[in-house]
Amino acid sequence: MFQRVVKELLSGLTVAIVALPLAIAFGITATGTPEGALVGLYGAIFAGFFAALFGGTPAQVTGPTGPITVVATGVIAAHGLDAAFVAFVMAGGFQVLFGLCRLGSLIRYIPHPVVSGFMGGIALIIILGELDQVRRAFLVVAGTIVLMLVAARLVKAVPASLIALLVVTPFLRVADSALTDVRLGPLTLSSGIDYIGRIPESLPSIAVPDLGGSTVLTLVLPALSIALLGSIDSLLTSVVMDNITGRRHRSNKELIGQGIGNAVSGLFGGLASAGATVRSVVNVRSGGRTAWSAAAHSVILLALVAGLGAVVQYIPLAVLSGILMLTAFGMFDWESLRKVHVAPWGDVVVMFATMIITVVVDLTVAVAVGMALALVFHAMKTRRRRASVIRTGEDAFRIEGPMSFLSVDRVFTSLREGRPAPSKRSGLSGRPHLSSLSLSLKDVDYVDMSGAKALLTFIDHSHRSGVAMDIKDVPAHVEVRLVALANDDQRARFTAAVRNRSDETVH
């Protein structure tokens, strides 16, 4: 027990180190002022702590994220910072309501191409927002990115973003004068270095702005946008966590936790937040398995805040810009982008339409249009709306109908519940069950990108859990699609499963 607690605390410390520069960068981006550093940190502290305490995804870390920052920036610009805090509290209330109404279950129906396009659009917005800093201090931004890429390869124990801060910040204290008005012919490489500047050193306290009723009414739509976006962002991270750990998160409980976290964050002057994929993955890979590691990361950040002002003031904005840009590049679904030439053309249209509308119009509009297009393409490809699972033997099942975004969650949940793994290392279910599974795809008439990803992920989890899979009667067009969309490891496992017999084990 003691070792488990120590491991959770050490994991929380690691995540806090990763979260520190990101929280500062997102806070300054959202507010446009140095004081935004505290706003971002308070978001990571309060939303992170209470979302961990009341959420439904063990070890998920909550804090300021790219999508939330993009929306929060617009709210702050239109209504001011004090009104934005009220909007964050209202957004938290909406999220709690979403969870109580069990709307979290709807995340299973969001197609993979919509998710990919949405995240790619957010990444483009962040990159475009940093272009002014790139033009002003190109050398520092580029140097920060290169340093982070090299550090990520050579140093595994320390986050690359922290290395960039610790290396570049003191270097520029000595060399910033040499980086004023640096040109290469007509091209300006650096016109000067801007710094965060001193921020107030104080512990957070509750502050409720005195706003009139009419002002609160104008905040309903912005708050609803933040709530919807934060919910989608958090639940997508929950799905990623499920894929890594093999567990099943509780969507509606997660929404309630996120709502409580955002409401408290707004009351204490913190930025609205959501489940953060990178920080959550770091937490799991560092040994975090429960909410205690995520909560510990917030407590550690709170301990750092009181003395940060004297240090943070010397951080160059160009370094934060480089960190944000590299973070944005990581948000692109590069695997799906590399597969566009072999993916269903309808999914490709949905992905790029969602991405473009996210950048040009609005985030929530993009998701709505992407969903509508996905439904239209689904109707064009098959008349059957959903797939079903039929049990044909003790450990044998058959899937009938289209493996699409409308049914894959239910299909593979049924399969997981139908056959738990043979030992405690199971990541598929907590129930004791068979060590093999036979799956017939004879009656699968269509598979989209969401269906292919779900099946390939299911095969991965079965392999890790020691479950032998025998996939039979695969239609030629389905097999071509699965092989084309799989990565190298998934392709090998799928091929092995297709060739298996019930007495063979996937290797």
Side-chain angles (χ1 to χ4, degrees), residues 12 20 37 41 48-49 54 66 70-71 77 85 101 120 165 172 189 192 225 264 326 358 362 368 381 452 459 461:
L20 179 65
L41 286 167
F49 182 82
F54 296 101
V70 170
V71 178
F85 291 142
C101 294
L165 277 181
L172 289 180
L189 299 180
S225 295
V264 175
L326 196 57
T358 297
D362 181 74
K381 290 291 184 181
I459 294 172
H461 287 169

Side-chain angles (χ1 to χ4, degrees), residues 21-315:
L22 290 173
I24 292 172
F26 282 129
I28 292 175
T29 298
T31 62
T33 65
E35 287 76 13
L38 276 182
V39 175
L41 286 167
Y42 288 169
I45 291 167
F46 291 104
F49 182 82
F50 286 95
L53 211 59
F54 296 101
T57 312
Q60 178 156 301
V61 178
T62 295
T65 65
I68 288 292
T69 300
V70 170
V71 178
T73 301
V75 175
I76 293 170
H79 301 280
L81 190 56
D82 286 343
F85 291 142
V86 175
F88 300 159
V89 175
M90 293 168 64
F94 280 127
Q95 288 181 299
V96 172
L97 186 62
F98 294 165
L100 293 175
C101 294
R102 307 192 65 80
L103 297 182
S105 304
L106 297 177
I107 187 67
R108 68 188 66 176
Y109 299 116
I110 298 182
H112 181 82
V114 172
V115 176
S116 298
F118 169 75
M119 297 307 292
I122 293 296
L124 286 173
I125 291 174
I126 293 173
I127 292 169
L128 292 172
E130 297 303 317
L131 291 183
D132 285 341
Q133 195 58 232
V134 172
R135 284 191 288 266
R136 177 164 176 77
F138 172 79
L139 286 178
V140 178
V141 175
T144 299
I145 293 174
V146 171
L147 178 59
M148 289 178 65
L149 291 173
V150 173
R153 286 182 172 274
L154 300 181
V155 183
K156 303 298 183 182
V158 183
S161 57
L162 184 63
I163 292 175
L165 277 181
L166 295 178
V167 172
V168 180
T169 298
F171 171 77
L172 289 180
R173 293 298 300 159
V174 178
D176 62 347
S177 59
L179 292 171
T180 301
D181 198 24
V182 178
R183 294 177 176 273
L184 182 62
L187 184 65
T188 301
L189 299 180
S190 179
S191 59
I193 306 300
D194 298 322
Y195 295 89
I196 289 179
R198 193 165 187 85
I199 62 174
E201 293 181 21
S202 62
L203 291 176
S205 59
I206 294 179
V208 181
D210 183 16
L211 298 176
S214 59
T215 303
V216 171
L217 287 176
T218 63
L219 295 174
V220 171
L221 286 180
L224 187 58
S225 295
I226 293 170
L228 288 170
L229 185 60
S231 299
I232 294 171
D233 196 9
S234 298
L235 293 181
L236 290 179
T237 299
S238 296
V239 172
V240 172
M241 292 290 281
D242 287 350
N243 290 339
I244 295 173
T245 64
R247 300 174 180 173
R248 291 281 293 172
H249 74 276
R250 298 170 63 185
S251 297
N252 297 303
K253 185 181 179 185
E254 181 63 28
L255 289 186
I256 293 172
Q258 290 292 328
I260 294 172
N262 277 328
V264 175
S265 178
L267 287 174
F268 280 91
L271 190 64
S273 298
T277 304
V278 172
R279 279 155 274 180
S280 299
V281 171
V282 168
N283 190 26
V284 171
R285 290 178 177 170
S286 301
R289 292 294 180 271
T290 70
W292 291 109
S293 54
H297 122 276
S298 296
V299 173
I300 292 168
L301 285 177
L302 178 61
L304 294 173
V305 162
L308 273 179
V311 177
V312 169
Q313 64 177 319
Y314 298 117
I315 295 177

Side-chain angles (χ1 to χ4, degrees), residues 447-483:
V447 58
D448 65 7
M449 188 180 289
S450 301
K453 294 282 186 182
L455 176 58
L456 294 169
T457 299
F458 182 76
I459 294 172
D460 286 343
H461 287 169
S462 299
H463 172 77
R464 289 201 295 267
S465 300
V467 178
M469 286 197 67
D470 170 22
I471 300 179
K472 304 184 297 184
D473 307 320
V474 185
H477 69 282
V478 172
E479 182 169 1
V480 169
R481 177 67 46 79
L482 290 168
V483 169

